[in-house]
Amino acid sequence: MPLTILNIGQTAIIQRISGKDDIRRHLSNIGFVEGKKISLFSFDGTNYIIEVDSSRIALNKDLAKRIYVREDL
């Protein structure tokens, strides 16, 4: 499921990242890699704040929908 489906406070594990090579490389450079555990910190209607490795990163909706995750049980 895309990251945009998560509820605030929910954790998930990145399964895959879609998009062109430059988009995937950009997301990888800021910490979004397959197998990494992430948590949705907040969403203001336009931007998602995601916690990765105890850092908070803001992504717009277009980038966030390219990250596919599975729930962390």
Side-chain angles (χ1 to χ4, degrees):
M1 71 179 169
L3 170 70
T4 55
I5 301 295
L6 289 179
N7 294 317
I8 293 173
Q10 195 171 11
T11 60
I13 297 174
I14 298 174
Q15 290 295 102
R16 71 181 174 92
I17 298 174
S18 67
K20 294 182 180 180
D21 287 342
D22 57 337
I23 292 170
R24 291 196 328 253
R25 186 173 29 257
H26 171 68
L27 290 171
S28 175
N29 287 340
I30 59 175
F32 294 94
V33 293
E34 292 177 13
K36 184 148 310 197
K37 189 175 184 176
I38 61 171
S39 177
L40 181 59
F41 185 74
S42 72
F43 174 62
D44 67 4
T46 306
N47 297 307
Y48 291 83
I49 308 294
I50 297 126
E51 194 165 340
V52 181
D53 292 336
S54 38
S55 296
R56 292 182 185 153
I57 300 170
L59 294 178
N60 66 20
K61 200 178 264 189
D62 290 334
L63 284 177
K65 71 181 180 183
R66 297 181 183 280
I67 301 171
Y68 289 84
V69 298
R70 68 174 166 81
E71 286 188 63
D72 184 31
L73 303 174

